[in-house]
Amino acid sequence: MTDHKTDDQRYLARAVALSREHMNDGAGGPFGAVIVRDGKVLAEGWNRVTSANDPTAHAEVTAIRRACEAVGDFALHGATLYTSCEPCPMCLASAYWARVGRIVYANTREDAAVIGFDDSLIYDEIPKPVSERIIPMDHVPSLEAKAVFDAWAEKPDKVSY
């Protein structure tokens, strides 16, 4: 029988070790992630925002990308995402899109805010009506854009996700 608490501690410790190692190497912020399914590590990731000049290169997103590539699928059903910190809104959304089965994290988003990684603005913005968000958003309807959506809806060989 598998001891889930022991597994959780081991994989979470690996995510934390990745966060320290790659923070010290100058890859980016202090964040690491490991994705595991059926006792097998599918992928690891760490924050590469500043080293890759990519604001989406968070540890969790990087790990999700690598895991999906490793398994040849865009879905990670049954996988657990171990991360050194509670996922930000982008990483949490990525985990949902990837159909991750479970998330285990160490530091909280409040802990992250104390050291300068405050996600509260994004959490506060998401539920606001579009017209009240800080970044102006203009809806410009397009018949061609609608036609593309209609074509997708009718496409017989589409891969739904």
Side-chain angles (χ1 to χ4, degrees):
M1 180 175 213
T2 303
D3 182 352
H4 291 291
K5 284 187 177 186
T6 300
D7 286 346
D8 285 351
Q9 290 293 335
R10 181 178 56 182
Y11 295 125
L12 194 55
R14 177 62 183 153
V16 171
L18 288 166
S19 73
R20 180 181 294 279
E21 175 186 345
H22 294 286
M23 173 194 70
N24 287 340
D25 288 346
F31 304 98
V34 178
I35 298 179
V36 178
R37 182 166 60 193
D38 299 326
K40 180 183 176 202
V41 173
L42 301 180
E44 297 179 340
W46 49 89
N47 185 286
R48 299 182 62 243
V49 170
T50 56
S51 60
N53 294 317
D54 180 352
T56 69
H58 290 201
E60 299 90 339
V61 171
T62 301
I64 288 168
R65 289 173 179 161
R66 290 176 176 164
C68 289
E69 187 174 345
V71 301
D73 197 349
F74 55 81
L76 299 171
H77 296 289
T80 299
L81 168 61
Y82 294 91
T83 178
S84 63
C85 187
E86 181 178 354
C88 75
M90 176 184 68
C91 293
L92 183 59
S94 298
Y96 276 103
W97 277 111
R99 280 96 168 154
V100 167
R102 182 170 170 248
I103 299 171
V104 178
Y105 62 94
N107 294 316
T108 67
R109 66 187 197 205
E110 291 81 13
D111 297 329
V114 168
I115 63 163
F117 296 93
D118 190 351
D119 299 328
S120 62
L121 172 73
I122 301 168
Y123 280 105
D124 292 344
E125 284 289 292
I126 290 171
K128 288 181 182 177
V130 171
S131 63
E132 294 177 20
R133 292 184 182 155
I134 292 170
I135 298 176
M137 296 177 65
D138 297 314
H139 176 216
V140 180
S142 163
L143 292 176
E144 183 58 21
K146 177 69 169 104
V148 173
F149 270 26
D150 291 343
W152 171 260
E154 300 300 321
K155 187 172 174 27
D157 62 341
K158 69 182 168 223
V159 177
S160 296
Y161 60 96

